[in-house]
Amino acid sequence: VENFSGDYPHSIGGLLTDVDAIEFDDVNKGDVVTQDIHIMNPSGQYVTPVVMHLPTYLRAEFIPRTLGPKQAGVLHLTMNSRNLRLLGLNQANIYLSKNMGENVSEDKEIIVSSVLLPERTPLSEDESKKAPRLSLSANSVDMSKTMGKEKVKKNVLLKNEGNDVLEISAIQMFTKGIELTLPKRSLKPGESTKMKITGYIDILKKVKTRPRVLMITNDPDRQKVIIEIKK
């Protein structure tokens, strides 16, 4: 804790924190991973922080357990991917408060996102040559130039440049304010399809985390595909 030299730009539940959202990225089934949130007690009283509404796959630990006036500490968040049921994006809203017994409210909210990938299975050279290969016309779309529009529409072309059928098993959005349509989730070798992405500008301006589209595929080199949304 003494070695943390960053800032505490966020006020959550009466505490100051260095982040207001956590992402467990590229987690394979079976992994157990930890991320830290640095916290500081800005008040003149002793507090014993708690985290409310923890899902079963998350565990929270505070060090030290009690914070004195102006004292800093760390919240360790540990995720056990064995308790996640769905591949792809899993999100939970947890709530940080100074003491036990406080009510849940929006000013205490921390968004926790995790992207769960299938267990890795090594491929032989022959299997790798026969695998599907996803190609995208763009890895990001720019919705920042709205020209006063309420919504912006963009297209991304998906093509299978491999030698086996490409399967898109999951398509998810990290935030509100995005809608998409994808005519085909299964592409034969050489086949393509067009993803249509619609962004609602007023909603996108208010979201805490980065707007993105997530796809889970059976391309061994691109199990997870992210399309960034520039707002």
Side-chain angles (χ1 to χ4, degrees):
V1 176
E2 290 78 3
N3 294 330
F4 180 68
S5 58
D7 297 323
Y8 300 92
H10 305 284
S11 178
I12 301 178
L15 298 167
L16 300 182
T17 69
D18 61 334
V19 296
D20 63 351
I22 286 287
E23 293 183 9
F24 293 94
D25 223 357
D26 293 351
V27 178
N28 290 99
K29 189 72 172 178
D31 291 348
V32 178
V33 290
T34 298
Q35 288 209 42
D36 292 340
I37 299 178
H38 294 90
I39 61 177
M40 198 266 282
N41 173 21
S43 74
Q45 300 175 336
Y46 282 85
V47 299
T48 305
V50 295
V51 177
M52 300 175 285
H53 288 207
L54 272 177
T56 55
Y57 56 84
L58 285 179
R59 181 169 57 85
E61 180 186 15
F62 289 94
I63 299 176
R65 187 64 194 91
T66 297
L67 295 177
K70 314 299 181 185
Q71 185 179 3
V74 175
L75 165 56
H76 294 299
L77 281 177
T78 301
M79 189 193 72
N80 187 340
S81 66
R82 297 183 187 90
N83 295 330
L84 287 172
R85 295 182 178 179
L86 300 176
L87 292 177
L89 178 65
N90 294 266
Q91 286 186 316
N93 297 334
I94 63 175
Y95 299 86
L96 174 65
S97 65
K98 291 187 296 183
N99 293 290
M100 185 76 72
E102 296 183 13
N103 293 326
V104 167
S105 58
E106 189 175 346
D107 67 301
K108 299 182 176 74
E109 182 183 68
I110 297 174
I111 299 173
V112 180
S113 303
S114 57
V115 177
L116 181 65
L117 304 178
E119 290 186 72
R120 282 195 172 274
T121 54
L123 297 181
S124 66
E125 185 177 346
D126 187 53
E127 288 173 327
S128 183
K129 289 179 180 178
K130 293 179 180 178
R133 302 293 175 194
L134 173 63
S135 171
L136 298 178
S137 62
N139 293 311
S140 65
V141 295
D142 190 351
M143 295 186 175
S144 61
K145 300 173 183 178
T146 62
M147 303 297 183
K149 297 179 182 178
E150 293 181 359
K151 60 183 180 180
V152 177
K153 296 183 178 181
K154 299 287 184 177
N155 295 324
V156 177
L157 185 68
L158 284 65
K159 185 177 181 180
N160 180 9
E161 296 184 343
N163 297 308
D164 199 356
V165 176
L166 176 72
E167 300 287 352
I168 301 170
S169 57
I171 306 175
Q172 297 161 301
M173 282 73 72
F174 278 80
T175 63
K176 298 178 181 179
I178 302 171
E179 288 182 357
L180 62 84
T181 58
L182 185 66
K184 295 182 179 180
R185 292 196 181 196
S186 180
L187 298 177
K188 298 176 183 177
E191 195 173 12
S192 61
T193 188
K194 186 182 293 182
M195 176 186 289
K196 299 179 181 179
I197 305 174
T198 302
Y200 293 86
I201 305 307
D202 287 344
I203 300 176
L204 287 175
K205 287 179 179 178
K206 298 176 183 177
V207 297
K208 291 182 179 180
T209 56
R210 291 178 295 143
R212 286 160 290 168
V213 174
L214 167 70
M215 292 186 291
I216 302 296
T217 82
N218 66 334
D219 179 341
D221 294 327
R222 304 190 72 176
Q223 289 183 310
K224 182 195 76 172
V225 179
I226 294 286
I227 299 175
E228 299 278 350
I229 310 293
K230 298 178 182 179
K231 59 173 182 170

